[in-house]
Each structure stands twice: as structure tokens, then as C-alpha cells.
């Protein structure tokens, strides 16, 4: 089957009714609440190491359980809901997360912590592909901006982890996580409202029987051509580089700062907060920049421009490292939402699947990175590990092999 023929399949939810900003901001807020719940897990690492005597490898397994469950399930959920959209899966998923947080507050052992984390991972796996679909449906023609609004909520939630540690977990310990059942309950309430809008929107945009038949035929004939498969493979490598580096900073840099700069747990959280906060800013800016300058260009710059900074970071003092971390977070994460939109346009008509693949893959890579880096730290130490991972963004050079934005447009038009 030729590339031109393959790319002619209709794109669901393409009816342009303008950008629905209230829905975008609400789903972005829900993303913030969902990911702030997830951020409780790495935020608890210093607490659990102190109170339970867990090793870095065990902490890595906790991060692995959270991210791997989410990453494996996200593309599965996306693939299923591309065929059978489930608006009310959103509040149901957050209910699972609420139960996980409740279990986490009372977990007496390493095993029960893992079980609680799995519940949180399941809730996240349901939320992310369906939340991305809502953002796509509400985007109108501003897909980059819409995805940025949605994704910046998640990155902002992750940025709250250091504040959660300093303000809640340090004074209240493990039990302090119970307060996040309130956060989950608020998210569930918002998502019930989103689900009602989602359901009514589906009725307006229900594909015709002819379109559904065409989608089925194209699916059965394998719509992903060799060129698309190669591009997806490159995207996987790029996500690997970004996720492993982000995992190293968000999960273990606090220990590095405590060891190198002789800081307390609360003081070391400032470094993670700065990295994640500027990462959220970069996530938001990436979408509008991609709308103007092209998605491929933003992806290339976001990785390669960080290389000098990541190599410099392990060799600077405490004050300069804050500035360097801020710049790394800002530049590196500018491609996060852009990668999702690029993949959605690379394989039209598979909104949930591509969102689940790219975001889920980011979680999965972070999961593998969490356990691998934790084990590496146990064997060779913090400083050698931080120096080793500083070269990961060099993998961004592969982005030059991605099809240009114009090529993607030509594929979609069937030229």
C-alpha cells in the first residue's frame, strides 16, 4: 500500500468548532491534580529511605512499579478507546488513584507500598490517553497550544513534588499522603463534568458508517508504513533520552545535592522544584512555538541545546547549578507536548493510541530508568552516575531523521 493511500483515512473529531478554552483549562487542571498525586511517590523517597531503611534499588522498584503499570496500560487504553470512546473512564480512573493514595498512607511494608502504587499507576494509565483525546477534541485548529495547555498541567503537578516533601511529608511523614485523597476527590468531580461534555461532543462528531468502515479497512491493512515506522522508532529513542535524564534528576538529584552541597531534605527539594517548574513552563511554550516554527524543529532544539548544560551541571557549585537546572528544564521539556502532537499527526485517526504510546512510553522509559539508575548509584555512586547521564540528550541528533512538518501534511492530504 502506498504512503499516499495509507494516509487518507479520516481523522476523528476533526469538525472545527473553534478552540474550547474552558474545557482545555479544566482538563489541564485535572492533569495537574492527577500528576500531583503521582508526584507523591518520588517525593516520598527520602522519607521512605529514612523511616523504612529502603535501598536505592528498592526505591527504584517503587518508581518502576508506578511508571511501568502506567506505561504498559496507556497504549492499551488508547487503542481500545479509539474504537470505543469511554467518557466516564476518566472519573473512574481517578477513583483508582484515590484508593491507591489511601493505601499509601497506611502501607506498613515495601510490598504494600508497591500494591498502592500500582493502583495509582492504573488510574494514571486511564487518565492520560483519554485526557489527551479531550484536549484534541477541544483544540480546534490550535493543536500545539491545546496539547501544551493539557500537558503543562501534568508538568506543574510533577513540579509540586518538592513542595509536597517540604510542606507535608517532612512534618507529617508517610501518613501525610492521606491529604491527597482530597486532591483526588476534587479531580473526580471535575472529570464528571468533563465526561458529560465529552459524551455530548461524541454525539455531534460520531463518524458515519462509511467512515467507520474505511477506518476498519485501513486498520486491517496496516496503516503504518515503513516511513512511519522508522519515524516512530526515532521518537522512541528521543523519548528514551529525555525520560532517562528527567528520571535521574527528579528521582535522585535530591540525594546528589544533599551529598555534594551538604543540604537538608527540605533544602535539596528546591533544586528539583526549579527543574520541574521550569520544565512546566517549557512544556507550555513548546506548543505555540511548534505551531509557529514547526514541531520537528522544536524537538531538535529541545534536546541538542541542552547538551552543553547537562554536561556542565555536575561540575558547578550550588548556586550556578540552580540556574543550569532551570535552563535544562525549560529547554528539554519544550518538546514534551510537541512529541505527542507530532505522533498524532504521524498516524492520523489514532489519537488515543499515539497519546498512550508517547506519554506512556515516557512513563515506561522513566520506570526503567528509575530502577536502572538506582542500581547504578548503588554500584558506582551518585557523582559518576550524574556525569554518565549528562550525555543522554546527544541522542537528539536522531531527530534530524524525522519527516518534516510539510511531509506530514502532504501525507495527510494524500499527495
Amino acid at each position: 500500500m502506498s504512503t499516499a493511500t495509507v494516509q487518507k483515512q479520516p481523522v476523528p473529531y476533526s469538525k472545527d468548532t473553534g478552540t474550547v478554552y474552558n474545557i482545555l483549562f479544566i482538563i489541564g487542571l485535572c492533569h495537574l491534580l492527577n500528576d500531583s498525586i503521582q508526584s507523591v511517590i518520588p517525593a516520598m523517597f527520602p522519607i521512605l529511605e529514612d523511616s523504612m531503611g529502603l535501598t536505592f534499588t528498592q526505591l527504584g522498584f517503587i518508581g518502576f512499579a508506578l511508571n511501568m503499570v502506567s506505561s504498559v496500560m496507556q497504549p492499551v487504553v488508547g487503542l481500545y478507546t479509539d474504537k470505543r470512546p469511554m467518557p466516564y473512564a476518566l472519573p473512574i480512573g481517578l477513583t483508582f488513584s484515590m484508593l491507591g493514595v489511601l493505601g499509601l498512607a497506611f502501607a506498613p511494608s515495601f510490598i504494600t507500598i508497591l500494591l498502592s502504587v500500582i493502583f495509582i499507576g492504573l488510574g494514571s494509565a486511564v487518565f492520560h490517553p483519554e485526557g489527551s483525546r479531550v484536549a484534541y477534541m477541544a483544540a480546534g485548529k490550535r493543536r500545539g497550544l491545546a496539547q501544551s495547555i493539557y500537558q503543562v498541567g501534568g508538568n506543574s503537578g510533577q513540579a509540586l513534588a518538592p513542595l509536597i516533601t517540604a510542606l507535608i511529608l517532612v512534618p507529617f511523614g508517610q501518613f501525610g499522603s492521606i491529604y491527597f485523597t482530597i486532591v483526588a476527590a476534587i479531580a473526580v468531580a471535575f472529570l464528571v463534568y468533563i465526561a458529560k461534555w465529552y459524551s455530548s461532543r461524541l454525539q455531534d462528531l460520531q463518524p458515519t458508517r462509511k467512515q467507520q468502515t474505511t477506518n476498519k479497512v485501513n486498520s486491517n491493512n496496516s496503516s503504518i508504513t515503513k516511513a512511519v515506522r522508522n519515524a516512530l522508532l526515532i521518537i522512541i529513542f528521543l523519548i528514551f533520552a529525555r525520560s532517562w535524564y528527567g528520571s535521574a534528576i527528579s528521582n535522585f538529584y535530591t540525594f546528589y545535592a544533599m551529598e555534594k552541597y551538604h543540604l537538608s531534605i527540605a533544602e535539596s527539594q528546591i533544586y528539583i522544584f526549579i527543574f520541574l517548574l521550569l520544565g512546566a513552563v517549557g512544556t507550555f511554550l513548546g506548543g505555540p512555538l511548534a505551531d509557529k516554527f514547526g514541531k520537528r524543529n522544536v524537538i531538535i532544539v529541545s534536546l541538542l541545546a541542552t547538551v552543553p548544560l547537562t554536561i556542565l551541571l555536575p561540575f558547578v557549585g550550588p548556586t550556578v547549578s540552580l540556574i543550569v537546572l532551570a535552563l535544562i528544564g525549560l529547554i528539554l521539556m519544550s518538546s514534551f507536548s510537541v512529541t505527542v502532537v507530532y505522533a498524532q499527526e504521524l498516524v492520523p485517526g489514532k489519537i488515543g493510541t499515539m497519546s498512550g504510546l508517547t506519554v506512556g512510553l515516557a512513563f515506561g522509559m522513566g520506570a526503567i530508568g528509575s530502577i536502572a539508575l538506582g542500581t547504578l548509584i548503588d554500584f558506582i555512586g551518585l557523582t559518576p552516575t550524574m556525569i554518565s547521564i549528562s550525555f543522554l540528550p546527544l541522542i537528539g541528533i536522531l531527530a534530524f531523521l524525522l519527516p518534516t512538518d510539510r511531509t506530514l501534511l502532504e501525507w495527510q492530504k494524500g499527495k
Side-chain angles (χ1 to χ4, degrees):
M1 180 180 291
S2 68
T3 303
T5 303
V6 166
Q7 298 298 333
K8 285 184 178 180
Q9 66 182 65
V11 182
Y13 323 124
S14 60
K15 179 180 177 182
D16 184 19
T17 57
T19 305
V20 188
Y21 285 102
N22 66 319
I23 294 298
L24 288 175
F25 287 125
I26 293 173
I27 196 64
L29 175 61
C30 290
H31 200 180
L32 184 152
L33 297 175
N34 177 83
D35 282 26
S36 69
I37 293 170
Q38 283 188 262
S39 70
V40 172
I41 310 304
M44 288 184 68
F45 280 5
I47 306 298
L48 295 174
E49 185 211 22
D50 181 60
S51 64
M52 290 188 175
L54 300 183
T55 66
F56 283 111
T57 301
Q58 287 176 311
L59 295 176
F61 268 109
I62 293 172
F64 177 84
L66 173 69
N67 293 330
M68 186 54 71
V69 169
S70 176
S71 68
V72 169
M73 292 301 297
Q74 276 193 51
V76 174
V77 171
L79 184 63
Y80 182 84
T81 55
D82 275 337
K83 298 177 180 178
R84 300 177 182 85
M86 300 174 62
Y88 286 91
L90 285 164
I92 292 172
L94 258 292
T95 302
F96 273 93
S97 295
M98 183 166 60
L99 294 174
V101 172
L102 186 63
L104 192 64
F106 296 98
S109 66
F110 173 65
I111 296 299
T112 49
I113 287 173
L114 284 179
L115 291 174
S116 299
V117 162
I118 286 171
F119 268 81
I120 296 173
L122 285 172
S124 178
V126 173
F127 175 82
H128 281 96
E130 284 299 272
S132 186
R133 189 192 309 280
V134 169
Y136 188 94
M137 293 168 69
K141 294 181 179 179
R142 308 196 68 182
R143 293 179 186 172
L145 175 63
Q147 196 64 224
S148 283
I149 292 173
Y150 169 66
Q151 296 293 352
V152 76
N155 287 70
S156 299
Q158 294 169 21
L160 293 175
L163 298 182
I164 291 168
T165 302
L167 301 178
I168 299 176
L169 297 180
V170 169
F172 296 105
Q174 179 182 340
F175 183 75
S177 63
I178 198 170
Y179 292 107
F180 287 86
T181 57
I182 301 172
V183 174
I186 294 171
V188 169
F190 278 123
L191 288 173
V192 169
Y193 173 81
I194 288 287
K196 291 179 179 177
W197 177 85
Y198 182 171
S199 183
S200 64
R201 181 79 166 140
L202 280 177
Q203 294 176 7
D204 294 338
L205 300 174
Q206 189 68 35
T208 65
R209 184 175 300 274
K210 181 178 179 181
Q211 288 175 325
Q212 291 172 343
T213 301
T214 304
N215 281 337
K216 185 175 182 180
V217 170
N218 284 335
S219 176
N220 290 338
N221 283 288
S222 182
S223 63
I224 303 180
T225 64
K226 182 178 180 180
V228 173
R229 283 198 301 269
N230 290 341
L232 286 175
L233 184 62
I234 293 169
I235 288 173
I236 289 172
F237 278 103
L238 300 180
I239 292 174
F240 158 77
R242 189 180 62 217
S243 298
W244 270 52
Y245 189 83
S247 178
I249 299 299
S250 60
N251 288 338
F252 299 113
Y253 193 82
T254 180
F255 298 104
Y256 178 79
M258 290 165 62
E259 179 182 286
K260 184 173 182 179
Y261 306 134
H262 309 291
L263 304 175
S264 67
I265 292 177
E267 290 170 337
S268 68
Q269 296 302 308
I270 296 173
Y271 291 81
I272 312 303
F273 175 70
I274 292 296
F275 173 75
L276 296 176
L277 178 64
L278 269 294
V281 174
T283 298
F284 177 76
L285 294 176
L289 287 173
D291 286 338
K292 184 173 183 179
F293 298 107
K295 293 174 284 294
R296 177 176 174 270
N297 292 335
V298 170
I299 291 171
I300 291 171
V301 172
S302 75
L303 283 159
L304 294 184
T306 61
V307 173
L309 298 169
T310 58
I311 293 175
L312 178 66
L313 180 62
F315 304 102
V316 296
T319 302
V320 176
S321 64
L322 277 173
I323 299 172
V324 174
L325 274 173
L327 292 173
I328 292 172
L330 180 69
I331 300 170
L332 185 65
M333 296 309 296
S334 65
S335 63
F336 189 88
S337 61
V338 178
T339 306
V340 178
V341 178
Y342 185 93
Q344 289 174 343
E345 295 186 1
L346 186 65
V347 187
K350 299 292 183 181
I351 305 306
T353 304
M354 287 301 102
S355 173
L357 177 65
T358 52
V359 179
L361 187 63
F363 279 115
M365 290 296 184
I368 297 171
S370 179
I371 190 169
L373 292 168
T375 303
L376 188 63
I377 291 170
D378 281 335
F379 274 98
I380 69 173
L382 278 165
T383 299
T385 300
M386 288 298 165
I387 293 173
S388 299
I389 58 96
S390 66
F391 294 94
L392 282 171
L394 276 171
I395 295 175
I397 199 169
L398 293 176
F400 284 105
L401 301 177
L402 289 172
T404 65
D405 291 56
R406 175 174 291 184
T407 300
L408 294 186
L409 184 61
E410 290 174 353
W411 286 354
Q412 290 177 22
K413 290 181 177 179
K415 293 183 179 180

